[in-house]
Amino acid sequence: MAGTLRKRGRIWWGRIKKAGKVHERSLETESKSVARDRLAAWTRELTDARWGVRPTRTLHQAIERFADEHFRYLKPSSAKRYAVSIDSLIAGIKDCALADIGSEVLKRFETRRLAAGVSASTVRRDLACLSSIFSRAEEWEWVTANPVKPYLRGRANAGLTEAEARTRHLSIAEESAILQELGEAARAAVAFAIDTGLRREEQFSLLWSDVDLAGNWIHVRAEVAKSGRARQVAILPRARRWLLQQKRGSSYVFTSRAGTRYSPNSPTMYEALQRACRRAGVVEHLTWHDLRRTCGCRLLQSHGFPMEDVSQWLGHADIRITQKRYAFLQVSRLQKFLARGTSRGTVEHGITSKALEDQALSVLH
């Protein structure tokens, strides 16, 4: 079984004939000497396969194929998260045969990462990424088992778990105080996030063509939704009033002073929110995603929406995600009930007062 080289443009390609079938692929190099080496390695792989010998596959090879096949289907933010973990895996485990990665190698990786000051939840995410790579390698028949799954199960009892889910959300009083301290553009963006529950990327990717004021709906396109599925979100009165007041100088609903879309990595709105929190005396840290959680809490507590409807509104892939994210509300209600020492069976909704609610809703009027 002999191989030949041929050049296409500046790149060398290899061609091998095996059992009457021609195999051809790019060797991804402009160097003829490198191309010869890669062709020889490819020939050895095909020869080994012919005699039932499983070729040695390395971590780097698996990562490269995983990225090629998987990243094209990911949202940019998800791909970025995977890339961070992959960088950590390459630095911490180095390149070695997949067959050599077992509990000892994984333990050394965990120990080094924790010693470097990385949180346990971050290490778990890195190992979860490696587990995904191994699962794909099983599908490719590169390995016969995924060593990361049992390792993660065993380490979960020792504290290598995901961090506790955030429960931070705004009270009506906090919302009112923060909105008063924001400039016009940031105030509109924060209030809109609370009223719609859109994710940050969904909100700042919103086009005027996605807004149906006649039907009172916002259409979240599949290409910007985290789940990859389109959905519709109702427009609440405050958000509707603001939308009706806007001049459409751009195809995007939210634009910078230059009239362009906010960059996905732009810190403008987040920093404005942090400054407003400091001026309003809101001490507990607030993220942009907490505004979305505030929407979910309001839909469940104030508006009395069923969990199924809230799950669809927020665009969760499964209702179990919604139940898990908002389970803390049930605990909070029970605690309030017990603290009041009453057997009436009613609980507070967490809304401070009608006057404060009206004040918050009227800020953008």
Side-chain angles (χ1 to χ4, degrees):
M1 180 168 45
T4 58
L5 290 172
R6 61 181 297 185
K7 208 169 189 181
R8 291 186 181 178
R10 301 174 63 181
I11 303 299
W12 287 98
W13 282 63
R15 188 173 186 271
I16 299 174
K17 189 174 182 180
K18 174 191 172 188
K21 184 178 179 181
V22 175
H23 302 264
E24 191 171 19
R25 74 182 187 188
S26 170
L27 298 173
E28 300 179 358
T29 181
E30 298 178 20
S31 168
K32 190 171 184 179
S33 61
V34 172
R36 284 198 194 99
D37 291 340
R38 291 181 179 177
L39 179 62
W42 183 26
T43 303
R44 285 194 298 273
E45 286 181 14
L46 292 175
T47 302
D48 287 344
R50 179 183 178 185
W51 296 105
V53 179
R54 186 181 295 274
T56 299
R57 303 292 189 176
T58 68
L59 176 61
H60 281 191
Q61 288 176 316
I63 287 173
E64 287 176 4
R65 182 168 176 180
F66 178 81
D68 287 342
E69 295 183 2
H70 192 52
F71 273 36
R72 71 186 72 176
Y73 302 109
L74 296 176
K75 293 285 185 289
S77 57
S78 299
K80 183 178 180 180
R81 175 57 245 176
Y82 268 109
V84 170
S85 287
I86 285 173
D87 286 344
S88 300
L89 293 169
I90 291 173
I93 297 180
K94 310 297 183 185
D95 194 23
C96 63
L98 292 175
D100 292 337
I101 298 177
S103 58
E104 185 177 343
V105 172
L106 297 175
K107 179 60 178 175
R108 284 201 303 268
F109 173 79
E110 177 190 342
T111 302
R112 289 169 183 166
R113 291 284 280 158
L114 293 174
V118 176
S119 69
S121 59
T122 298
V123 177
R124 184 174 179 84
R125 281 196 295 271
D126 293 343
L127 290 175
C129 173
L130 181 60
S131 181
S132 296
I133 294 170
F134 262 100
S135 293
R136 287 300 182 94
E138 283 185 287
E139 295 174 11
W140 306 328
E141 297 184 350
W142 285 14
V143 295
T144 57
N146 180 350
V148 190
K149 285 184 177 180
Y151 181 81
L152 284 174
R153 285 196 297 268
R155 294 298 296 148
N157 294 330
L160 193 67
T161 58
E162 287 287 349
E164 288 292 324
R166 279 180 68 85
T167 61
R168 179 74 169 105
H169 60 287
L170 288 171
S171 68
I172 292 293
E174 287 179 317
E175 177 188 352
S176 179
I178 290 170
L179 290 179
Q180 296 287 357
E181 297 296 338
L182 287 166
E184 182 179 352
R187 183 165 66 242
V190 168
F192 198 85
I194 292 172
D195 286 355
T196 62
L198 296 181
R199 297 180 178 90
R200 186 182 185 281
E201 180 62 17
E202 294 170 348
Q203 179 173 345
F204 293 107
S205 296
L206 189 66
L207 301 171
W208 281 109
S209 57
D210 299 327
V211 179
D212 180 3
L213 288 170
N216 216 43
W217 291 101
I218 288 171
H219 178 70
V220 181
R221 287 167 282 127
E223 60 265 31
V224 300
K226 182 179 180 181
S227 65
R229 296 185 298 182
R231 72 182 189 280
Q232 288 184 313
V233 173
I235 303 175
L236 296 181
R238 175 172 60 176
R240 179 180 176 82
R241 288 195 298 270
W242 179 79
L243 288 168
L244 286 169
Q245 294 167 3
Q246 301 313 298
K247 296 180 180 180
R248 305 189 182 190
S250 166
S251 58
Y252 288 99
V253 175
F254 292 92
T255 59
S256 66
R257 291 181 179 178
T260 58
R261 181 207 190 280
Y262 285 102
S263 163
N265 298 319
S266 171
T268 302
M269 289 298 178
Y270 175 79
E271 290 177 353
L273 178 61
Q274 301 314 306
R275 289 193 297 270
C277 286
R278 289 193 294 269
R279 288 195 291 263
V282 176
V283 178
E284 189 178 355
H285 179 63
L286 193 70
T287 69
W288 196 267
H289 196 83
D290 294 337
L291 306 178
R292 169 176 160 85
R293 189 177 302 105
T294 298
C295 176
C297 291
R298 301 270 176 88
L299 293 175
L300 289 165
Q301 293 182 303
S302 303
H303 299 287
F305 278 32
M307 189 71 73
E308 293 84 354
D309 291 349
V310 174
S311 183
Q312 292 180 15
W313 182 307
L314 297 177
H316 288 157
D318 192 303
I319 189 175
R320 288 173 293 184
I321 297 174
T322 318
Q323 292 168 336
K324 182 178 179 180
R325 294 290 185 268
Y326 292 92
F328 71 92
L329 293 178
Q330 300 300 325
V331 175
S332 177
R333 286 183 180 182
L334 179 60
Q335 289 173 338
K336 287 181 179 180
F337 179 84
L338 294 174
R340 288 167 59 187
T342 177
S343 60
R344 288 181 297 171
T346 59
V347 295
E348 296 293 333
H349 281 302
I351 301 300
T352 55
S353 72
K354 186 66 169 63
L356 278 173
E357 183 176 6
D358 289 343
Q359 179 185 359
L361 292 174
S362 67
V363 170
L364 293 180
H365 190 272

